[in-house]
Amino acid sequence: MSFINYLSREINCKIVYYGPGLCGKTTNLQFIYNKTNPEAKGKMISLATETERTLFFDFLPLALGEIRGFKTRFHLYTVPGQVFYDASRKLILKGVDGVVFVADSQIARMEANLESLENLRTNLAEQGYSLDKLPYVIQYNKRDMPSIAPVEELRAMLNPGNVPDFEAVAVSGGGVFDTLKAIAKLVLTELKRSGG
Amino acid sequence: MTNPQMVMYEEEFNQIQAIVDRLVKEANARVVFIIDKNGQLIAASGDTEQIDTTSLASLTAGNIAATGGMAKLLRESEFTTQFHEGEQSNIHIQLVGNRVILVVIFDNKTSLGLVRLRVKKASEELNRIFEALLQKVQDPARETPFAEITDDDIDNLFND
């Protein structure tokens, strides 16, 4: 649910990075944080365990520029990927305007990808959303790893709806901004379509 | 969508700002702010320069969401009030009309009792304003900035 402030002339939107444990959601946000001008970003918050696994969420506020005199601000969130944090994941989806599903390209993680995608659908449905109607993109991450599935295979398995998808290596940043731009654009287009 | 769009206009903002300004004084608080349940900052007053309000807003919303999740497990609808006590600062968090969150940060210059009393009164007033705002937002005839936006405008945002 975006927030339009006529007084400060701001449009605020919420984007959630979803995906299985260790697929690189936090790494996406860290790369964006490191490569963004200080004036365009706020502090990045990570609520993580002592072993740096996301416990509740990561949060990064980002300003992307102005449209017709309105500043566009995006709040990026990640969810904890580990299966047993499902209650927390549901909470973070509340009020979401757009979803990035980060898939782990490694063959060994195919089942985890499918399980997480199914979990995303279920949790969105519980909040009254449908993944088919939300602005939604997919990122095939970890393309630099040795035992990875071909993109066509990942696409057939995870992207039957043919939404925009991107290959990425989030640790070095490849594909990270392409993914972000695509989802931001879809969110703004949806706001325009639905009349805000 | 399950939640209606949150929109803020000048008229309502001024009313809300007046309430938070007054609450800072009457409760003798350091900072008062209002955020929506998704963590967007709506209004703030007091010594806000010392505080990263954006981060605090997001964390407070996360906190309220987590508490709401716990309430659900216990078959409560919500826990509407939270209080965190520190050595120097304390935070009082109040859910208003299950829609927005009123946060008061205070130190030993005041007391929890006074804060609670003033928050209660402010909550009632805020609830009325947000009710009215919601009505206004749901009016199908209202103007939005999006009608004017073209696909080119959106594309231009990403041409760097």
Side-chain angles (χ1 to χ4, degrees), chain A residues 1-4 6-7 12 43 45 56 59 64 67-68 70 75 77 91 94 127 129 185 192 195-196, chain B residues 1-2 4-8 10 13 38 40 55 58 62 65 142-146 148-149 153 155 157:
Chain A
M1 180 181 63
S2 57
F3 172 34
I4 305 166
Y6 282 85
L7 202 79
N12 292 277
K43 198 187 281 176
I45 289 175
F56 194 4
F59 167 71
L64 280 189
I67 287 189
R68 302 256 164 168
F70 275 80
H75 286 184
Y77 285 84
L91 300 175
K94 280 187 183 170
Q127 313 276 350
Y129 297 104
K185 215 170 142 175
K192 173 177 149 55
Chain B
M1 296 284 166
T2 45
Q5 173 88 49
M6 175 65 89
V7 178
M8 185 55 62
E10 189 168 359
F13 178 82
N38 298 323
Q40 311 278 8
S55 298
S58 146
R142 81 179 168 95
E143 288 179 13
T144 85
F146 296 103
E148 304 258 301
I149 291 176
D153 288 333
D155 280 334
L157 194 59

Side-chain angles (χ1 to χ4, degrees), chain A residues 10-13 15 17 32 35-37 39-42 60-67 70-76 177 179-188, chain B residues 153-160:
Chain A
E10 283 178 7
I11 302 166
N12 292 277
C13 305
I15 292 173
Y17 283 69
I32 294 165
K35 292 291 171 189
T36 308
N37 293 332
E39 64 272 19
K41 69 186 173 193
L60 174 60
L62 211 60
L64 280 189
E66 286 195 8
I67 287 189
F70 275 80
K71 287 174 228 139
T72 57
R73 292 185 191 279
F74 286 83
H75 286 184
L76 310 185
F177 275 97
T179 311
L180 174 64
K181 282 178 185 177
I183 191 65
K185 215 170 142 175
L186 284 181
V187 166
L188 292 172
Chain B
D153 288 333
I154 296 174
D155 280 334
N156 288 338
L157 194 59
F158 300 104
N159 291 339
D160 45 21

Side-chain angles (χ1 to χ4, degrees), chain A residues 107-125:
Chain A
I107 293 166
R109 298 297 286 162
M110 281 308 109
E111 205 153 315
N113 287 329
L114 280 172
E115 194 184 339
S116 177
L117 189 56
E118 193 50 46
N119 176 256
L120 169 62
R121 282 195 181 278
T122 310
N123 285 345
L124 281 173

Side-chain angles (χ1 to χ4, degrees), chain B:
Chain B
M1 296 284 166
T2 45
N3 293 315
Q5 173 88 49
M6 175 65 89
V7 178
M8 185 55 62
Y9 300 99
E10 189 168 359
E11 183 190 351
E12 285 78 9
F13 178 82
N14 289 338
Q15 294 171 0
I16 292 164
Q17 189 64 45
I19 292 173
V20 294
D21 285 344
R22 201 186 65 214
L23 185 55
V24 169
K25 287 198 198 85
E26 289 186 351
N28 215 358
R30 270 176 59 202
V31 181
V32 172
F33 60 99
I34 295 178
I35 58 182
D36 78 359
K37 283 181 91 180
N38 298 323
Q40 311 278 8
L41 184 69
I42 295 172
S45 186
D47 190 13
T48 50
E49 284 181 10
Q50 306 295 321
I51 292 174
D52 178 354
T53 45
T54 310
S55 298
L56 206 55
S58 146
L59 288 170
T60 306
N63 197 334
I64 280 285
T67 312
M70 291 193 283
K72 217 168 146 189
L73 292 176
L74 298 176
R75 299 201 179 87
E76 279 286 333
S77 61
E78 284 285 357
F79 294 118
T80 50
T81 309
Q82 291 184 43
F83 173 57
H84 302 293
E85 187 174 359
E87 279 180 22
Q88 316 262 325
S89 305
N90 313 294
I91 302 186
H92 187 278
I93 300 173
Q94 179 74 40
L95 196 56
V96 177
N98 208 2
R99 193 168 299 121
V100 294
I101 306 163
L102 174 59
V103 181
V104 180
I105 301 175
F106 62 98
D107 52 26
N108 58 11
K109 287 195 205 106
T110 184
S111 69
L112 177 59
L114 181 65
V115 169
R116 292 184 79 142
L117 184 74
R118 301 302 189 207
V119 161
K120 192 166 184 290
K121 188 176 162 226
S123 299
E124 287 161 7
E125 293 172 6
L126 287 168
N127 199 24
R128 277 197 295 276
I129 296 170
F130 280 101
E131 282 287 337
L133 186 60
L134 196 69
Q135 295 290 324
K136 198 163 161 180
V137 171
Q138 285 173 338
D139 179 355
R142 81 179 168 95
E143 288 179 13
T144 85
F146 296 103
E148 304 258 301
I149 291 176
T150 63
D151 290 345
D152 284 344
D153 288 333
I154 296 174
D155 280 334
N156 288 338
L157 194 59
F158 300 104
N159 291 339
D160 45 21

